[in-house]
Amino acid sequence: MRVAITRGISPRMDRCELTHVERQEIDLERAIAQHQSYETLLEDLGCEVRCLRASPDLPDSVFVEDTAVVMDEIAIITRPGAPSRQAEIPEITAELALHRPMAQITVPGTLEGGDILVMDRRVIVGLSSRTNACGARQAADILRPFGYEVVTVPIEKCLHLKSAVTRVATDTILVNRAWIDAGAFTGETRIIDVDPAEPFAANALQIGESVVFPAAYPRTADRLNQAGIRVRPIDVSEILKAEGGVTCCSLVFEA
Ligand code: CIR
């Protein structure tokens, strides 16, 4: 069974962290409706959605991806680099304890799930304003016994690694090369570039044969379709204003 953990939109989402984008007014009702459509789409794609309750004190808590990295063998509970996000951890820990043995990133390490891209046994970790070298080393130590190789790449021009690159099929990544050096990916990987007019379009959520993708980026969606990728567009305009994307709003794994 495929599970997707989500968390409701905080009524204080207007106070979310922002690093590389300007603050714009977020329409809370629209954000809630978009998030519900996102959950419905995950259900359509075969996920059992478990939605944790929204918290008024945690503006960014809808972005559950940053709080954990769920592998088949173990879940890593992160230590977010944004101090305002560290209180998101207990709720997610309690939920993941139902599904996996757990390990935890500890002080002085920081790590956010948006900086982790799993390519089979290769795990790429972005060193960003949220994830430090100590956090990456701890993740490597946790994953090594299970046969994972961890490599790091610097991230300076966007929030997270997965703002710049995501996997859209077994052998294919979607990338914004202005934000990341695609050299970290091996020669066998097919690379699709985002349309230059859509720099934020590299964040796509692969679920099985389908890719959940923001409706805001039609030019890049065309490129994906032309490459034979099955795109499921969704309007997430309010989530994009909070510097989020489609991967950030769920933790998807086999239970
Ligand atoms: C933050 O800055 O932490 C949130 N406003 C956005 C987090 C997005 N998460 C992600 O891309 N994995």
Side-chain angles (χ1 to χ4, degrees):
M1 179 181 55
R2 187 175 282 153
V3 168
I5 296 178
T6 61
R7 192 163 184 180
I9 299 271
S10 165
R12 292 326 312 258
M13 199 185 184
D14 59 329
R15 295 189 183 175
C16 67
E17 296 280 344
L18 293 177
T19 309
H20 295 273
V21 305
E22 295 291 315
R23 198 166 292 279
Q24 297 176 62
E25 196 174 329
I26 293 175
D27 181 329
L28 196 62
E29 269 180 39
R30 187 179 291 174
I32 291 169
Q34 289 177 348
H35 188 252
Q36 281 167 354
S37 302
Y38 174 86
E39 290 178 325
T40 303
L41 178 51
L42 296 190
E43 280 169 357
D44 280 357
L45 295 174
C47 299
E48 184 181 304
V49 175
R50 307 218 172 130
C51 185
L52 307 181
R53 66 185 167 79
S55 167
D57 307 325
L58 301 172
D60 281 307
S61 49
V62 64
F63 300 121
V64 287
E65 172 181 59
D66 294 320
T67 59
V69 181
V70 186
M71 310 296 282
D72 288 345
E73 303 85 350
I74 196 163
I76 302 177
I77 303 297
T78 68
R79 183 168 175 268
S84 70
R85 302 203 52 193
Q86 290 174 357
E88 296 173 24
I89 294 299
E91 188 103 2
I92 211 83
T93 306
E95 178 64 26
L96 283 174
L98 305 174
H99 302 282
R100 293 285 191 277
M102 283 188 294
Q104 187 141 23
I105 303 296
T106 55
V107 181
T110 64
L111 187 132
E112 295 190 0
D115 279 318
I116 305 277
L117 180 62
V118 179
M119 303 283 292
D120 304 318
R121 293 279 134 183
R122 199 149 186 264
V123 178
I124 299 155
V125 181
L127 297 179
S128 68
S129 61
R130 302 293 180 83
T131 295
N132 64 19
C134 177
R137 263 196 309 276
Q138 290 182 34
D141 290 344
I142 292 164
L143 294 175
R144 196 174 302 111
F146 301 108
Y148 293 98
E149 176 206 11
V150 171
V151 297
T152 58
V153 293
I155 297 292
E156 282 157 7
K157 298 189 176 138
C158 54
L159 181 58
H160 288 124
L161 170 71
K162 276 187 277 191
S163 317
V165 58
T166 51
R167 197 177 194 183
V168 289
T170 310
D171 63 343
T172 311
I173 56 166
L174 174 64
V175 66
N176 175 353
R177 294 190 216 219
W179 289 352
I180 189 176
D181 178 0
F185 298 90
T186 61
E188 299 109 66
T189 309
R190 178 171 67 145
I191 296 180
I192 301 174
D193 292 287
V194 298
D195 186 282
E198 297 174 345
F200 287 89
N203 186 265
L205 173 62
Q206 186 198 357
I207 297 186
E209 302 287 298
S210 300
V211 166
V212 177
F213 193 69
Y217 308 129
R219 293 171 181 222
T220 304
D222 281 348
R223 292 183 179 210
L224 291 169
N225 279 317
Q226 276 161 24
I229 309 277
R230 195 177 305 155
V231 177
R232 298 293 299 262
I234 180 155
D235 183 4
V236 285
S237 63
E238 306 313 293
I239 284 157
L240 299 178
K241 289 179 189 169
E243 212 171 351
V246 286
T247 63
C248 338
C249 296
S250 56
L251 283 165
V252 180
F253 55 88
E254 291 300 322

